Amino acid sequence: MPTYTAPTKDMQFILHDVLGVSASDIAGYDELDRDFTGAILEEAGKLAENVLAPLNPVGDQQGCILENGAVRTPDGFKAAYDQMRAGGWMGLDADPDYGGQGMPYLLQSTVGEIFVSANMAFNMYQGLTHGAMSAIHVHGSDSQKQMYLPKMIEGSWSGTMNLTEPQCGTDLGLIRTKAEPQDDGTYKVSGQKIWISAGEHDLTDNIIHLVLAKIPGGPDGVKGISLFIVPKFLVNDDGSLGARNALSCGGLEKKMGIHGNATCVMNYDGATGFLIGEMHKGMRAMFTMMNEARLGVGLQGYAQGAVAYQNALAFAQDRLQGRAVTGVEAPDKPADPIIVHPDVRRNLMHQKSFIEGARAFTFWAASLIDRARRNDDAEADALVSLLIPVLKGFLTDKGFETTVLAQQTLGGSGFTREWGLEQFVRDARITMIYEGTNGIQSLDLVGRKLGLNGGKTVIGFFDLVKTFIKDNEADADLKAQFLDPLKSASKDLQSAAMYFMQNIKTPNAALAGSYDFMHLFGHVCLGLMWARMAQASMAALAAGDTNPIFHETKITTGRYYMARHLPATALHLARITSGSETVMDLAAANF
Amino acid sequence: MPTYTAPTKDMQFILHDVLGVSASDIAGYDELDRDFTGAILEEAGKLAENVLAPLNPVGDQQGCILENGAVRTPDGFKAAYDQMRAGGWMGLDADPDYGGQGMPYLLQSTVGEIFVSANMAFNMYQGLTHGAMSAIHVHGSDSQKQMYLPKMIEGSWSGTMNLTEPQCGTDLGLIRTKAEPQDDGTYKVSGQKIWISAGEHDLTDNIIHLVLAKIPGGPDGVKGISLFIVPKFLVNDDGSLGARNALSCGGLEKKMGIHGNATCVMNYDGATGFLIGEMHKGMRAMFTMMNEARLGVGLQGYAQGAVAYQNALAFAQDRLQGRAVTGVEAPDKPADPIIVHPDVRRNLMHQKSFIEGARAFTFWAASLIDRARRNDDAEADALVSLLIPVLKGFLTDKGFETTVLAQQTLGGSGFTREWGLEQFVRDARITMIYEGTNGIQSLDLVGRKLGLNGGKTVIGFFDLVKTFIKDNEADADLKAQFLDPLKSASKDLQSAAMYFMQNIKTPNAALAGSYDFMHLFGHVCLGLMWARMAQASMAALAAGDTNPIFHETKITTGRYYMARHLPATALHLARITSGSETVMDLAAANF
């Protein structure tokens, strides 16, 4: 059975040595000193290691069961959920006015990685609630907030997001679910929603569904979509549960992974719904939560890679097979541990250097969300909006790839259920699909985000990279090993952006290159993160840090990223500048 | 449920327009005229489409069941197996002296792709038999051949290969299974073997296990391994079945995919075995079949990609979502089919251009095996031995990647069991692992095959590429679109080989670059194949072929490969020449 250990040292390094959180000017960050975050991460780690991780294979093998309209979650999920609730983990970054702890979103994300690595399917129950809570917090009326938030924050009610229907996923303009206005100001919601994560389960007393639907007579397409609160049980004015609403789970999807999470077909048969936010502005209400939701999925991607890597490493240290080409390393054993073999190490370094870069990127982005929200900083908001599709698309593609590499480290054992690696692969696969497929992320990046503020935001990103390089190039080691490769990669990114500009009259030119652009951008972001981490570690070493091995390891790992991951930027640029002809020339009928 | 259509036109194109098989000087190829191969492929296609493909999800969902030592295969497998046997498919390329049809191995591979695409787990039962048959045919005594081959060729007995034990996979020198010599010339075989595909099942009357074991007192390590025939039922002199042998299936592995194939723990408890080939030369006996076995796995890799692509394409032509950026294409429908979107097309072209290149590469390699064997051509034997690790490693890595891309085309539907794409992903995953992991393939390539005949074989390959370019560069279109990119890629490959030569005193330099070298080599092979296919299609168009669209499509698909796959050679070269330091610098304890 796989194991998990929370990477608290690596997390503390990013929070304090790289991001310098407690000295930051972001409101509330002064609370985040090293001891405080260390204590939080240690507690989260215990819960993850002892309770959540052991349930991960149980959830995979049992899955969820639908009987008489009720969904039974796997054995142990309810007890673990109650334990998590008792620990106050569900309201970590929620508004104190409604019972939350008011911590920064960055801390929520850091803890989130630990829970997701330990048990992604389980953590989705509270993850979806978090999204629904945010929507109600931003768009709900005072009475809606009073009615729903405290119970959701304490974890006794959960939440869902209902967007997809059989005929529409990406293209929400095709939604058919209807909301008929009633004389009392409520609506009767009718229609079928599919792929609703945590749509029905036995972990909470009530489930608060947020449902996109059309009010008859409204504008066509996405401009006529409104958002509704449709609770499983109606809530009385005193907060107690009232009648069962007219909605039900019509079936559970059989899927490749995340078996422990119930993916439901939800049928709304004239269910009572409450408009949230403005009529016909439902899409906007959904979009305000999008940065957080997509960051959360990007995090899932690398977090599955992280736990897979830990288990691959343990196997490589333990499994005896063959001898090192440079001479026997374990003469007392029948063979050397396979970590002596260069190709096994290459594979492990490929995993390790991606994961640590991805973590830094994600924490940085989470801090930008805090800066945007807590300091009301529009520039930070624009920057993180630019980065989010990159973070979601790149980290989930590479995160999945990392689970596959980790599985490969185990050879045949990686293919068997017993070792658990194959579950990480199957679970990670969904992250490339949901919350907007990675193809959609690349369209968002090229079609909307590149042009944000007339291009000023992306130019701001280039400047940020340039400034970092300029400010640090006096350090010869940092320059040769990190800054020069970063400069070259960043130039590739600028050339690609330039190519799109020059071919702006051929929209297919940018669209046929969008996916490669997303990956190119992702590599530059991780290159920047590694340059920042290397700088921090070099500084710590120069200052006589008590743990030099930690920092030397960090620098060596970064050098791998720069030497063997980052050169991919040239490949992505070559594909982009090859143009759209080879992509578009074939008539659809001739494929 | 997914569907499958045998790609007979594409296969015929490679056999006849590209390889020109019926005009070849390879013994027996004169029989392979267009009508003959067309008829064979059509028959194989019917069986695959109507019988095997519908059983593929059944096998995945039911799996195999072990009860009282007997394995029950999924519903319908036995009837399908009998139908395949009745059609004479199992002895297609087997020796006519023992009841085979004596067809070239190329035809066996072509038909093999069809069966593997339709149902990989099912086809493994006969695939393993084919390997065991080959070993007996090459190394068995006359009486062993008479005793086992006719029944195996007709399909009433099956075969297995028993190598792996719990403590050894790659490093077979650690084998513990013992074979004690008996007075009657037989051996008593004792030990445990794991991951034995088709080790026990209900499809045939007898199972002929080929088992690697050590005769006590022999040399240590791989030099003391011998190969034994250990039948499930002993065979009487008249060919009838005798006593049950002392061997049993001790368990079935639970695995990520290929559920329809029984992966067995096999226990040998003093089972009667018969030495095959020379004492202590068992490894050599295994190696003689290795080219075929590894070609077969490379074929599985791209064949899973091929069927996944077919289903992704059908989805993309059918699913309505969004509108083309260049203007509405299906005004009578609520949205356009998603194949209008550039990123969806990019994904499909990426799949298609790989699969068709991989097929040509595999058929070419199969023809080299025929040339080596049928014409006793040592140069062809050396060339294919060089290419086999590339073919196995590259085509299975990219084949798996292709199934993942195809799954992505379906968005959320790709993650559900219902559409079947996720099964192709899970099934394809094993091909990167078994028959020597892809890491091992890359070691074989760099450590053994590059130096074959003092380097003459790899130089012969470079010459072959150069000669093709030189002979055809008068054609300006072919030169610009295909030959120039091929030349550039081939130069990258030569630079990488040169780098290894220059650093020959640092074995880690080559070993840390071996995996990238394998991929670099694979791209050059597929680039060569696309240049050859484009040349054939351009010639056909110039000659006024009656199906110009087929050939124009071929050329467009090839142009995609050259523009968007092939530039990866530069990335692989950059990684290789970055050296082994970043791979090796970290002490194992500091990971």
Side-chain angles (χ1 to χ4, degrees):
Chain A
M1 202 171 78
T3 60
Y4 175 65
T5 308
T8 48
K9 272 187 205 166
D10 280 332
M11 290 175 158
Q12 289 278 72
F13 169 73
I14 297 170
L15 293 177
H16 301 288
D17 298 77
V18 181
L19 298 178
V21 288
S22 57
S24 159
D25 65 334
I26 299 173
Y29 269 40
D30 52 342
E31 284 188 76
L32 302 180
D33 65 41
R34 206 180 276 265
D35 287 348
F36 178 75
T37 60
I40 297 267
L41 297 183
E42 196 187 327
E43 282 306 307
K46 278 185 203 161
L47 184 62
E49 293 162 22
N50 303 325
V51 179
L52 305 189
L55 282 179
N56 196 40
V58 175
D60 185 58
Q61 284 157 44
Q62 289 189 3
C64 295
I65 293 160
L66 174 66
E67 269 172 1
N68 305 320
V71 169
R72 201 165 66 239
T73 55
D75 291 348
F77 270 41
K78 172 75 172 137
Y81 188 87
D82 289 344
Q83 208 171 329
M84 187 173 253
R85 186 164 65 180
W89 293 107
M90 294 169 188
L92 195 65
D93 71 336
D95 189 341
D97 286 352
Y98 303 98
Q101 296 179 49
M103 288 290 132
Y105 176 66
L106 171 59
L107 195 64
Q108 161 80 13
S109 300
T110 310
V111 167
E113 183 198 313
I114 294 174
F115 293 156
V116 168
S117 281
N119 196 327
M120 175 166 148
F122 174 85
N123 201 59
M124 286 174 67
Y125 290 102
Q126 66 144 327
L128 270 297
T129 303
H130 194 269
M133 267 174 7
S134 299
I136 294 173
H137 191 258
V138 176
H139 300 282
S141 65
D142 278 347
S143 67
Q144 286 172 335
K145 289 196 253 189
Q146 292 293 353
M147 183 169 277
Y148 299 107
L149 287 181
K151 293 285 192 180
M152 294 173 84
I153 287 170
E154 75 180 30
S156 50
W157 298 354
S158 66
T160 72
M161 310 298 290
N162 288 239
L163 287 76
T164 306
E165 299 181 7
Q167 78 291 348
C168 68
T170 298
D171 188 355
L172 290 171
L174 303 174
I175 277 182
R176 289 182 195 146
T177 297
K178 272 189 199 139
E180 304 268 2
Q182 306 297 303
D183 292 342
D184 62 358
T186 67
Y187 292 78
K188 290 285 175 212
V189 177
S190 301
Q192 187 177 68
K193 294 286 181 177
I194 62 169
W195 302 342
I196 308 309
S197 299
E200 175 60 32
H201 58 78
D202 55 4
L203 302 179
T204 57
D205 302 334
N206 200 4
I207 302 175
I208 311 305
H209 300 286
L210 295 194
V211 182
L212 287 183
K214 288 189 169 179
I215 299 170
D220 280 345
V222 292
K223 289 178 186 161
I225 296 175
S226 306
L227 184 63
F228 297 87
I229 298 176
V230 189
K232 177 177 168 184
F233 289 99
L234 295 169
V235 182
N236 299 320
D237 288 342
D238 65 357
S240 63
L241 296 185
R244 182 74 149 85
N245 209 344
L247 61 91
S248 61
C249 171
L252 293 180
E253 297 291 342
K254 292 186 173 159
K255 8 183 239 301
M256 183 181 191
I258 50 167
H259 296 163
N261 198 276
T263 306
C264 302
V265 175
M266 295 301 299
N267 295 317
Y268 295 89
D269 303 305
T272 300
F274 308 91
L275 181 68
I276 173 168
E278 286 178 64
M279 192 181 280
H280 308 321
K281 306 282 186 190
M283 289 301 284
R284 192 195 292 171
M286 296 300 297
F287 270 98
T288 53
M289 298 164 297
M290 202 155 276
N291 282 345
E292 275 187 44
R294 290 182 170 176
L295 184 143
V297 175
L299 182 150
Q300 288 180 328
Y302 83 78
Q304 290 303 290
V307 63
Y309 164 73
Q310 283 189 6
N311 286 278
L313 175 60
F315 185 93
Q317 302 269 27
D318 186 59
R319 172 77 170 170
L320 306 175
Q321 208 79 174
R323 290 296 186 185
V325 68
T326 47
V328 172
E329 297 212 1
D332 55 324
K333 293 181 178 163
D336 289 336
I338 62 170
I339 198 169
V340 305
H341 303 306
D343 190 64
V344 171
R345 296 177 67 100
R346 174 200 57 78
N347 189 354
L348 291 169
M349 290 299 295
H350 216 72
Q351 299 166 45
K352 179 176 170 64
S353 61
F354 162 72
I355 294 158
E356 295 177 16
R359 178 178 295 130
F361 182 29
T362 304
F363 288 10
W364 176 48
S367 78
L368 288 172
I369 288 179
D370 279 328
R371 181 178 292 283
R373 192 184 299 154
R374 289 171 168 251
N375 290 17
D376 212 7
D377 184 329
E379 228 174 279
D381 188 56
L383 179 57
V384 80
S385 297
L386 169 70
L387 296 178
I388 282 296
V390 177
L391 191 154
K392 195 279 182 180
F394 183 68
L395 299 194
T396 58
D397 277 358
K398 291 285 170 184
F400 171 73
E401 193 183 296
T402 301
T403 62
V404 173
L405 293 177
Q407 182 185 27
Q408 191 72 11
T409 305
L410 277 77
S413 299
F415 197 67
T416 63
R417 182 195 285 179
E418 187 186 350
W419 288 83
L421 272 290
E422 61 96 26
Q423 185 191 345
F424 299 133
V425 173
R426 290 185 288 101
D427 286 356
R429 184 64 185 88
I430 189 61
T431 65
M432 296 152 71
I433 297 172
Y434 63 17
E435 206 54 46
T437 66
N438 288 357
I440 292 299
Q441 302 301 322
S442 77
L443 294 193
D444 178 44
L445 173 63
V446 165
R448 300 166 34 129
K449 301 298 175 64
L450 265 189
L452 214 59
N453 297 318
K456 272 185 202 149
T457 303
V458 73
I459 290 170
F461 174 80
F462 292 139
D463 285 345
L464 186 153
V465 174
K466 262 183 232 162
T467 304
F468 181 81
I469 293 172
K470 211 172 158 189
D471 288 351
N472 291 284
E473 62 191 353
D475 183 328
D477 277 355
L478 192 69
K479 181 173 187 301
Q481 294 171 356
F482 291 90
L483 303 180
D484 288 348
L486 173 61
K487 190 186 275 186
S488 162
S490 183
K491 266 190 192 162
D492 286 343
L493 184 62
Q494 291 176 62
S495 301
M498 188 68 74
Y499 177 83
F500 293 156
M501 292 288 289
Q502 286 162 345
N503 292 278
I504 204 155
K505 287 188 182 156
T506 316
N508 284 338
L511 296 177
S514 61
Y515 210 92
D516 281 283
F517 189 78
M518 178 174 78
H519 273 252
L520 207 175
F521 210 144
H523 277 297
V524 173
C525 290
L526 262 61
L528 174 65
M529 291 300 116
W530 270 117
R532 289 181 63 174
M533 288 194 280
Q535 182 221 31
S537 277
M538 287 177 182
L541 286 171
D545 191 280
T546 53
N547 192 356
I549 288 177
F550 176 88
H551 294 290
E552 286 158 6
T553 297
K554 196 58 76 180
I555 293 165
T556 304
T557 307
R559 282 172 49 225
Y560 181 97
Y561 194 92
M562 305 316 270
R564 290 189 173 241
H565 273 288
L566 201 59
T569 58
L571 169 59
H572 293 299
L573 178 61
R575 284 184 185 153
I576 289 165
T577 56
S578 76
S580 59
E581 291 75 14
T582 59
V583 173
M584 303 306 298
D585 274 2
L586 210 54
N590 296 340
F591 263 77
Chain B
M1 203 171 77
T3 60
Y4 176 64
T5 308
T8 49
K9 272 187 204 165
D10 280 332
M11 291 176 157
Q12 289 279 72
F13 169 71
I14 297 170
L15 293 177
H16 301 288
D17 298 74
V18 181
L19 298 177
V21 288
S22 57
S24 157
D25 65 334
I26 299 173
Y29 269 41
D30 52 340
E31 283 188 75
L32 302 180
D33 65 39
R34 206 179 276 266
D35 287 348
F36 178 74
T37 60
I40 297 267
L41 298 183
E42 195 186 329
E43 282 307 308
K46 277 184 204 163
L47 184 62
E49 293 161 23
N50 303 325
V51 179
L52 305 189
L55 283 178
N56 196 41
V58 176
D60 185 58
Q61 284 157 43
Q62 289 189 3
C64 295
I65 293 161
L66 174 65
E67 269 173 359
N68 306 319
V71 169
R72 200 164 68 239
T73 56
D75 290 348
F77 270 41
K78 174 74 174 136
Y81 189 86
D82 289 344
Q83 207 171 330
M84 186 174 253
R85 184 164 65 182
W89 294 106
M90 293 169 190
L92 195 64
D93 70 337
D95 189 341
D97 286 353
Y98 303 96
Q101 295 179 50
M103 288 290 132
Y105 176 65
L106 171 60
L107 195 64
Q108 162 80 15
S109 301
T110 310
V111 167
E113 184 197 312
I114 294 174
F115 293 155
V116 168
S117 281
N119 195 327
M120 175 166 148
F122 174 86
N123 201 58
M124 286 174 67
Y125 290 102
Q126 65 143 328
L128 270 297
T129 304
H130 194 270
M133 270 177 2
S134 298
I136 295 173
H137 192 257
V138 176
H139 299 282
S141 65
D142 277 348
S143 67
Q144 286 173 336
K145 290 197 252 189
Q146 291 293 353
M147 184 171 278
Y148 299 107
L149 289 181
K151 293 285 192 181
M152 294 173 84
I153 287 170
E154 75 180 30
S156 50
W157 298 355
S158 65
T160 72
M161 311 298 291
N162 288 239
L163 287 77
T164 306
E165 299 181 7
Q167 79 291 351
C168 67
T170 298
D171 187 356
L172 290 171
L174 302 175
I175 276 181
R176 290 183 195 146
T177 297
K178 271 187 200 141
E180 303 267 2
Q182 305 297 302
D183 292 343
D184 62 357
T186 67
Y187 292 79
K188 290 285 176 212
V189 177
S190 301
Q192 187 177 69
K193 295 286 182 179
I194 62 170
W195 302 342
I196 307 309
S197 299
E200 175 60 32
H201 58 77
D202 56 4
L203 302 179
T204 57
D205 301 333
N206 201 3
I207 302 175
I208 311 305
H209 300 287
L210 295 193
V211 181
L212 287 183
K214 287 188 170 182
I215 299 170
D220 280 346
V222 292
K223 288 176 185 163
I225 296 175
S226 305
L227 184 63
F228 298 88
I229 298 176
V230 190
K232 176 177 169 184
F233 290 98
L234 295 168
V235 182
N236 299 320
D237 288 343
D238 65 356
S240 62
L241 295 185
R244 182 71 148 85
N245 209 345
L247 61 91
S248 61
C249 171
L252 293 179
E253 297 291 343
K254 292 186 172 161
K255 6 182 243 300
M256 183 182 192
I258 51 167
H259 295 163
N261 198 275
T263 306
C264 302
V265 175
M266 295 300 299
N267 295 318
Y268 295 89
D269 304 304
T272 301
F274 308 92
L275 181 69
I276 174 168
E278 286 178 64
M279 193 181 282
H280 308 321
K281 305 281 188 191
M283 288 301 285
R284 193 195 294 171
M286 295 300 298
F287 270 98
T288 53
M289 298 164 298
M290 202 155 275
N291 281 346
E292 274 187 44
R294 291 181 169 178
L295 184 142
V297 175
L299 182 150
Q300 288 180 328
Y302 82 78
Q304 290 304 292
V307 64
Y309 164 72
Q310 283 188 6
N311 286 279
L313 176 60
F315 186 92
Q317 303 268 26
D318 186 58
R319 172 77 170 170
L320 306 176
Q321 207 79 176
R323 290 296 186 183
V325 68
T326 47
V328 173
E329 296 212 2
D332 54 326
K333 292 180 178 164
D336 289 335
I338 62 171
I339 197 169
V340 305
H341 303 306
D343 190 64
V344 171
R345 297 178 66 100
R346 173 200 59 78
N347 189 353
L348 291 169
M349 290 299 294
H350 215 72
Q351 300 166 45
K352 178 176 170 66
S353 61
F354 163 72
I355 295 158
E356 295 177 16
R359 179 178 293 130
F361 181 29
T362 304
F363 288 10
W364 177 46
S367 78
L368 287 172
I369 288 179
D370 279 328
R371 180 177 292 282
R373 191 185 299 154
R374 291 173 168 250
N375 291 17
D376 212 7
D377 183 329
E379 229 174 278
D381 188 54
L383 179 57
V384 80
S385 297
L386 169 70
L387 296 177
I388 282 297
V390 177
L391 190 154
K392 195 279 183 182
F394 183 69
L395 299 195
T396 59
D397 277 358
K398 291 284 169 186
F400 172 73
E401 191 183 297
T402 301
T403 62
V404 173
L405 293 177
Q407 183 185 24
Q408 192 72 11
T409 305
L410 277 76
S413 299
F415 198 67
T416 63
R417 182 195 282 178
E418 185 185 353
W419 288 82
L421 272 288
E422 61 96 27
Q423 185 191 346
F424 299 133
V425 173
R426 290 185 289 101
D427 287 356
R429 184 64 185 86
I430 189 60
T431 64
M432 296 153 71
I433 297 172
Y434 64 17
E435 205 55 44
T437 65
N438 287 356
I440 292 299
Q441 302 300 323
S442 76
L443 295 193
D444 179 45
L445 174 63
V446 165
R448 300 166 34 129
K449 302 300 176 60
L450 265 189
L452 214 59
N453 296 318
K456 273 186 201 149
T457 302
V458 72
I459 290 170
F461 174 80
F462 293 139
D463 286 345
L464 187 152
V465 175
K466 262 183 231 163
T467 305
F468 181 82
I469 292 172
K470 209 170 157 190
D471 288 353
N472 292 283
E473 62 190 354
D475 183 327
D477 276 355
L478 192 68
K479 182 172 186 301
Q481 294 170 355
F482 292 90
L483 303 181
D484 288 347
L486 174 61
K487 189 186 275 186
S488 163
S490 183
K491 266 191 192 163
D492 287 343
L493 184 62
Q494 291 176 63
S495 301
M498 188 68 74
Y499 177 83
F500 292 156
M501 291 288 288
Q502 287 162 344
N503 293 279
I504 204 154
K505 288 186 182 159
T506 316
N508 283 339
L511 296 177
S514 61
Y515 210 92
D516 281 284
F517 189 77
M518 178 174 79
H519 273 252
L520 207 175
F521 209 144
H523 276 298
V524 173
C525 289
L526 262 62
L528 174 65
M529 290 300 117
W530 271 116
R532 289 181 64 173
M533 289 194 280
Q535 180 219 33
S537 276
M538 286 177 183
L541 286 172
D545 192 281
T546 53
N547 192 354
I549 289 177
F550 176 88
H551 294 289
E552 286 159 6
T553 298
K554 197 59 78 180
I555 294 164
T556 304
T557 307
R559 281 172 48 225
Y560 181 96
Y561 194 92
M562 306 315 269
R564 290 191 171 237
H565 273 288
L566 201 60
T569 59
L571 170 60
H572 293 300
L573 178 61
R575 285 184 184 154
I576 290 166
T577 56
S578 75
S580 58
E581 291 75 15
T582 58
V583 174
M584 303 305 297
D585 274 2
L586 209 55
N590 295 340
F591 265 78

